[in-house]
Amino acid sequence: MTGESVEYTCMQGCTLDHSHEMGRPVFREDVWCWFWDQPLTLPVNENGSPEEFRVLSTVVKVEPWAPQVAHRLPFAVIELVDDHFIDGLDPDGLETVISTLSERLEQMRATHRRLVEVRKAYRERAA
């Protein structure tokens, strides 16, 4: 903190309330903007009983005075599952994650089809 007053224009679509930062000393590195999408939760059975966890939340974030120059431009952050993140994704990086997850979804759809078939055959044998 240099004591120098600095003006910053918030990122378009920012969902943070910056009123607590205005008119008082704040370290530049503590100022950022983000747009957080609506959370999705799924019941994850981590230790014997299902508990709702946030999964695949995506944030567009910018840190105008970040030590990493790349974070001074808007970037994406994906929260895979509660507090486990893929951080600092530029548009190409985010597209890579989307493509990877899309491939995984196709594999899950194939598993779903196999499951339906296997259950049907299992029930027919049991009958």
Side-chain angles (χ1 to χ4, degrees):
M1 211 166 11
T2 64
E4 174 187 354
S5 218
V6 177
E7 200 170 300
Y8 173 68
T9 302
C10 195
M11 176 181 72
Q12 182 179 354
C14 180
T15 56
L16 292 177
D17 176 8
H18 293 285
S19 60
H20 66 282
E21 298 162 352
M22 295 187 291
R24 67 178 200 80
V26 177
F27 288 103
R28 289 180 178 189
E29 295 80 16
D30 291 337
V31 176
W32 64 83
C33 292
W34 71 16
F35 174 83
W36 192 285
D37 65 4
Q38 293 296 316
L40 166 68
T41 61
L42 289 173
V44 176
N45 187 346
E46 184 179 19
N47 48 5
S49 61
E51 182 181 343
E52 290 291 319
F53 281 91
R54 283 186 317 268
V55 296
L56 297 177
S57 296
T58 308
V59 175
V60 174
K61 185 176 183 182
V62 66
E63 301 171 5
W65 292 284
Q68 305 94 330
V69 175
H71 288 189
R72 295 178 189 178
L73 289 172
F75 61 96
V77 178
I78 298 172
E79 185 177 30
L80 295 175
V81 66
D82 271 347
D83 296 325
H84 291 82
F85 299 92
I86 300 174
D87 199 358
L89 295 167
D90 64 8
D92 290 338
L94 180 57
E95 181 59 34
T96 298
V97 173
I98 292 167
S99 295
T100 301
L101 291 173
S102 179
E103 290 171 14
R104 179 56 59 168
L105 284 173
E106 287 306 314
Q107 291 174 6
M108 290 173 76
R109 286 185 177 104
T111 299
H112 176 260
R113 288 188 296 273
R114 278 193 304 277
L115 176 62
V116 169
E117 292 169 10
V118 167
R119 284 176 63 108
K120 180 182 176 197
Y122 186 87
R123 284 183 174 155
E124 287 172 356
R125 269 197 329 261

